[in-house]
Amino acid sequence: MMPPEEESPDGDRDSGLVLLHGPKSGSARKGCDPFAQTQRSKLQHRRARINQQINKEMRMRAGAENLFRATSNHKVKETVALELSYVNSNLQLLKEELEELNSSVDVYQNDSESISVPMIPLGLKETKELDLLVPLKDFISEHYGEEGVLFEKEIKEFMELRQAMRTPSRNEAGLELLMEYYNQLYFLDSRFFPPTKTLGVFFHWYDSLTGVPSHQRALAFEKGSVLFNLGALHTQIGARQDRASLPGLNQAIDAFQKAAGAFNYLKENFSNAPSLDMSAASLTMLVRLMVAQVQECVFEKMTLLRAQNDFLARLQLAQEAARVEDVYCLVHQTMSQPHVKDYVPFSWTTMVHVKSEHFKALSHYFAAIALCDCPAPSDAELLEQEKAFLQFHVTMPEGPSLRVLLQDPEERRKLGKAHLKKAIMKHEEAMRIHGLCKILRKMDILQEVLSFAHKRSLSKYSEIDHEEDFFETGEAPDIHPKTHQKPEIKSPNFSQVKVTDLFHRLGPLSVFSAKNKWYPARRVHLMRGENGFGFTLRGDSPVLIAGVIPGGCAAEAGLKEGDYIISVNGKDCKWSKHAEVVQLLKSTGKEGVDIGVITLQGSECPKAVDRKAAVMSSGSGMPKSNKENSRKSLMNSKSASTLLVWGKKSKRSKKSTYSGVPFTAVGDNEAMY
């Protein structure tokens, strides 16, 4: 992932990075009204309530289990055992209630009167409120040497953004809100989470599927949970589209592809999740589920675009339906695995199984009507139809040659009848599986879709069945799955939402970050000598003292190579450009200038300074160095959040050390003063 782009207050570009202006009034994006009584918000409120109750019961169970292990009193053990059975019973009821909520897929569907097979969306993960005011103020005072109270506005702005992110709207604005918060976490990580210690705050999130609470100090847990909600919101947006229209189908395809991308990105970049919904097995299942729903939308798109009376178009529809059956079969296998089946809602597993059988039935139905409703091909059409039919079945049907089959109406009817027989069997199997799930039985629209498809196949079978048929209907071979639009897993585009580092007043991240340490700031009074101040400046934001002339004014005042200029005569220069600092220095009079500087710990190069002094005394020059002071190295490195159990998968970049540049090696961006 490319990190968010850092921006200087003056909006200039440096080292190829786009630097954004910081908003004066903070983020304009807001979440939904948490008290709005929409169907979706009521569902989410119930989810939050159940999560809190599960949390309470689990704490009671943990306490009871500890007491049971600690006590040796037989009567106490009996009482605690009874209490444990009561708590476990409550937990089971709460988890069943949560499963029923997760099965309420109809709430997220569109309001169109058209009949469409329901899609499976995910509910958002819930989180507790987080107060960062004191921890961040303390860190700013301790690490940055600034007054923490001066940054209360920025801290509150970040907390407001987090609060809004908890209730995103189900549209593009909600997605941008989650993306904005995720990008702000990059800056928070860089500013306040050093690799050697924690901030001391816990991030609390509830499992989306089980309601079990988890908490960690690692910011990676917060990032991963926000990414999960980004994927979940995409599923809700995809499920609400009107798939009876082409624009609605295209939007649904895009939403489910982006959901798959978010879950896949989470799986590939984060590991050892403390909650089951973000485990590798669960995320693999969710990616496959989203891909299957994309494939289902592709089939629906084909039914809108293809001419229904064309032989080849119907063969393509049959193969598309077979492809949908294929991917749903894979999802069902994944949901049935030991590490997944215990926490995936039974209604999800059942619906996926129903869809697998339903689309297999549709594949045979479209094969049948292609054979029975379309006329025999002309000589000009025969070659093309023969070629398509060769790749249509998994195994070639028994009977006459392919050419005879396509040209003989009776042979076409026989094979079509075999396909219809199989279609009816699969329709009935889908309806049987559907009837096993109490929650799905309440879903009228799914029942209506299955019943309609079944009756349509029965009607067609009655139409082509002749009383004088004495032959036994053969077994129709399976149809080879094939799609004309392969689903694409679209990874999140984090650069789509531009954000500003809320704490940019602390200074450029290249220097003023949590991983860097520096000595206390020094105030140096500098007088201009006959040969100037006696140092070389290089770089921008902040400007670096690249070299100091031994015996010069700067050296006598205590300035050292590697110092960063942070102020000139009381004016903050952390974000100032090279030319601006130079102008401030040149404008000083005989009274001299007060310069504020800091030195990064580990950046001192005493040997280089001594060597430089010896070279200066002999009058010889030094070779030119190509190293530059820029923010690129920091912005291209991934922030470390692997201190705790659960962290971002990343290869740690080797620690970079500062190499002193002698003042005689004046590069393109250096000048002696």
Side-chain angles (χ1 to χ4, degrees):
M1 179 198 77
M2 289 301 292
E5 293 160 336
E6 186 181 6
E7 183 163 325
S8 65
D10 55 8
D12 288 336
R13 293 170 181 261
D14 182 36
S15 303
L17 295 173
V18 179
L19 305 178
L20 307 174
H21 289 283
K24 294 182 179 178
S25 58
S27 172
R29 299 189 179 97
K30 302 295 179 185
C32 290
D33 178 6
F35 300 106
Q37 293 299 301
T38 63
Q39 276 190 307
R40 176 173 164 265
S41 67
K42 287 178 182 177
L43 207 63
Q44 206 66 29
H45 288 157
R46 284 181 63 196
R47 181 188 298 277
R49 178 182 58 78
I50 293 170
N51 285 339
Q52 290 170 5
Q53 288 177 316
I54 288 175
N55 188 22
K56 179 182 175 182
E57 294 291 340
M58 289 191 69
R59 288 164 62 186
M60 289 177 62
R61 185 173 71 176
E65 287 174 344
N66 289 337
L67 180 59
F68 188 85
R69 285 191 293 266
T71 186
S72 56
N73 187 303
H74 183 67
K75 287 187 176 180
V76 172
K77 275 186 177 288
E78 284 185 352
T79 305
V80 172
L82 184 64
E83 182 66 24
L84 271 172
S85 65
Y86 175 72
V87 170
N88 285 329
S89 175
N90 281 349
L91 270 174
Q92 185 60 35
L93 290 172
L94 287 169
K95 288 182 178 180
E96 286 176 5
E97 189 177 350
L98 185 63
E99 180 180 340
E100 187 174 346
L101 281 188
N102 286 323
S103 304
S104 301
V105 299
D106 52 324
V107 172
Y108 298 96
Q109 309 302 315
N110 70 84
D111 298 326
S112 170
E113 294 182 359
S114 60
I115 300 174
S116 299
V117 181
M119 294 294 186
I120 298 178
L122 273 77
L124 301 180
K125 288 173 71 71
E126 290 284 340
T127 181
K128 290 184 178 180
E129 288 189 24
L130 184 64
D131 189 352
L132 290 169
L133 189 61
V134 173
L136 292 188
K137 281 168 61 177
D138 289 347
F139 190 88
I140 289 170
S141 300
E142 176 189 336
H143 186 80
Y144 291 96
E146 303 270 4
E147 288 291 335
V149 70
L150 299 177
F151 289 85
E152 281 190 0
K153 179 184 175 185
E154 287 89 341
I155 298 171
K156 288 178 180 177
E157 195 173 318
F158 179 83
M159 289 166 58
E160 286 171 4
L161 179 62
R162 188 182 190 274
Q163 184 66 17
M165 164 289 298
R166 296 175 65 190
T167 55
S169 54
R170 196 163 37 136
N171 52 28
E172 194 65 31
L175 295 170
E176 289 180 357
L177 177 61
L178 288 171
M179 196 79 80
E180 178 180 354
Y181 180 70
Y182 183 88
N183 284 345
Q184 281 294 348
L185 289 177
Y186 163 79
F187 290 115
L188 194 77
D189 194 1
S190 301
R191 295 285 190 192
F192 300 105
F193 285 81
T196 55
K197 62 181 290 189
T198 66
L199 196 60
V201 297
F202 283 97
F203 299 99
H204 294 260
W205 288 86
Y206 293 93
D207 191 294
S208 174
L209 299 177
T210 65
V212 175
S214 301
H215 64 270
Q216 278 202 353
R217 289 190 177 97
L219 191 65
F221 184 38
E222 179 89 345
K223 290 180 181 177
S225 299
V226 175
L227 267 179
F228 185 95
N229 275 0
L230 186 69
L233 193 58
H234 275 301
T235 68
Q236 294 181 14
I237 291 172
R240 75 177 301 187
Q241 301 303 319
D242 179 9
R243 304 199 315 275
S245 67
L246 196 57
L249 276 170
N250 286 330
Q251 288 169 0
I253 289 171
D254 184 62
F256 289 127
Q257 287 182 151
K258 287 178 177 176
F263 296 133
N264 194 58
Y265 184 89
L266 184 56
K267 183 186 71 164
E268 291 181 349
N269 289 276
F270 294 84
S271 61
N272 302 320
S275 58
L276 286 173
D277 56 355
M278 292 195 292
S279 65
S282 176
L283 292 171
T284 298
M285 179 272 294
L286 291 175
V287 171
R288 289 176 177 174
L289 175 60
M290 295 307 117
V291 168
Q293 296 192 145
V294 171
Q295 201 69 68
E296 183 177 347
C297 291
V298 170
F299 168 78
E300 292 173 339
K301 185 177 176 181
M302 287 278 292
T303 60
L304 288 180
L305 293 176
R306 301 292 180 182
Q308 293 296 311
N309 58 350
D310 179 69
F311 178 77
L312 294 177
R314 285 173 172 172
L315 291 188
Q316 288 174 353
L317 279 176
Q319 290 187 302
E320 285 285 355
R323 177 60 185 160
V324 179
E325 179 264 330
D326 204 34
V327 291
Y328 271 121
C329 189
L330 177 62
V331 176
H332 184 251
Q333 290 172 8
T334 310
M335 286 182 171
S336 303
Q337 289 176 352
H339 298 296
V340 181
K341 68 179 181 180
D342 293 335
Y343 61 89
V344 172
F346 177 65
S347 60
W348 285 19
T349 309
T350 307
M351 182 181 281
V352 164
H353 197 182
V354 166
K355 286 190 175 188
S356 176
E357 298 294 337
H358 172 67
F359 281 99
K360 186 159 191 175
L362 289 183
S363 69
H364 286 284
Y365 169 78
F366 281 110
I369 62 170
L371 290 164
C372 299
D373 288 3
C374 297
S378 63
D379 292 339
E381 297 170 331
L382 182 59
L383 188 61
E384 186 180 8
Q385 291 192 11
E386 199 173 354
K387 183 180 176 182
F389 216 70
L390 271 171
Q391 302 172 347
F392 183 68
H393 291 105
V394 175
T395 56
M396 286 302 295
E398 296 178 358
S401 67
L402 190 57
R403 181 162 293 222
V404 172
L405 171 64
L406 289 173
Q407 289 182 314
D408 186 345
E410 183 59 21
E411 291 296 334
R412 288 168 69 113
R413 187 180 70 86
K414 285 181 180 179
L415 182 57
K417 189 176 178 181
H419 276 297
L420 274 175
K421 180 182 176 183
K422 200 161 191 177
I424 292 168
M425 289 172 58
K426 290 298 174 183
H427 282 310
E428 290 171 351
E429 179 65 9
M431 294 172 75
R432 184 191 70 81
I433 296 167
H434 170 266
L436 296 176
C437 181
K438 181 179 69 174
I439 293 172
L440 290 190
R441 287 201 301 269
K442 297 176 183 177
M443 205 175 292
D444 295 338
I445 190 167
L446 183 58
Q447 176 70 44
E448 197 172 342
V449 168
L450 296 176
S451 178
F452 171 78
H454 181 229
K455 289 176 181 177
R456 184 176 61 177
S457 294
L458 282 173
S459 174
K460 192 65 187 175
Y461 188 86
S462 299
E463 182 185 321
I464 66 168
D465 186 31
H466 296 167
E467 290 184 4
E468 61 271 17
D469 284 348
F470 294 106
F471 62 86
E472 185 176 346
T473 306
E475 179 75 13
D478 283 335
I479 293 156
H480 182 69
K482 185 179 178 182
T483 182
H484 290 75
Q485 183 178 336
K486 189 176 180 181
E488 178 186 354
I489 296 177
K490 294 185 176 181
S491 294
N493 180 13
F494 297 104
S495 61
Q496 175 186 345
V497 178
K498 305 294 183 183
V499 300
T500 303
D501 178 9
L502 291 175
F503 300 92
H504 68 271
R505 285 199 296 130
L506 290 171
L509 271 173
S510 57
V511 176
F512 301 96
S513 66
K515 72 175 184 179
N516 287 335
K517 293 183 179 180
W518 50 87
Y519 296 105
R522 312 191 314 275
R523 303 294 176 187
V524 176
H525 186 74
L526 195 60
M527 302 294 293
R528 186 195 299 273
E530 293 181 2
N531 297 320
F533 293 114
F535 53 52
T536 301
L537 301 182
R538 178 165 59 85
D540 294 319
S541 307
V543 173
L544 173 75
I545 297 178
V548 178
I549 299 175
C553 299
E556 290 179 359
L559 291 177
K560 297 180 292 184
E561 175 188 336
D563 284 346
Y564 287 98
I565 297 176
I566 59 172
S567 68
V568 176
N569 283 336
K571 177 179 170 57
D572 193 301
C573 294
K574 292 173 186 172
W575 282 102
S576 297
K577 299 300 179 185
H578 186 103
E580 294 168 351
V581 173
V582 170
Q583 186 59 39
L584 288 172
L585 292 172
K586 284 183 176 179
S587 63
T588 58
K590 294 180 180 180
E591 69 279 4
V593 60
D594 289 323
I595 299 178
V597 295
I598 61 164
T599 305
L600 289 182
Q601 293 185 21
S603 68
E604 307 88 340
C605 302
K607 293 182 179 178
V609 173
D610 294 342
R611 187 167 60 251
K612 213 170 36 182
V615 170
M616 278 302 297
S617 62
S618 64
S620 61
M622 292 288 289
K624 183 175 179 178
S625 169
N626 290 325
K627 291 192 177 181
E628 295 183 7
N629 168 39
S630 72
R631 293 190 292 276
K632 183 178 279 188
S633 61
L634 176 75
M635 296 302 288
N636 286 342
S637 68
K638 292 187 178 178
S639 55
S641 47
T642 54
L643 179 63
L644 297 176
V645 177
W646 195 65
K648 196 172 188 297
K649 291 181 183 175
S650 63
K651 295 181 180 178
R652 287 199 175 187
S653 57
K654 293 182 180 178
K655 188 176 180 181
S656 58
T657 56
Y658 170 78
S659 177
V661 180
F663 69 90
T664 52
V666 181
D668 295 337
N669 197 25
E670 297 177 8
M672 188 184 298
Y673 302 99

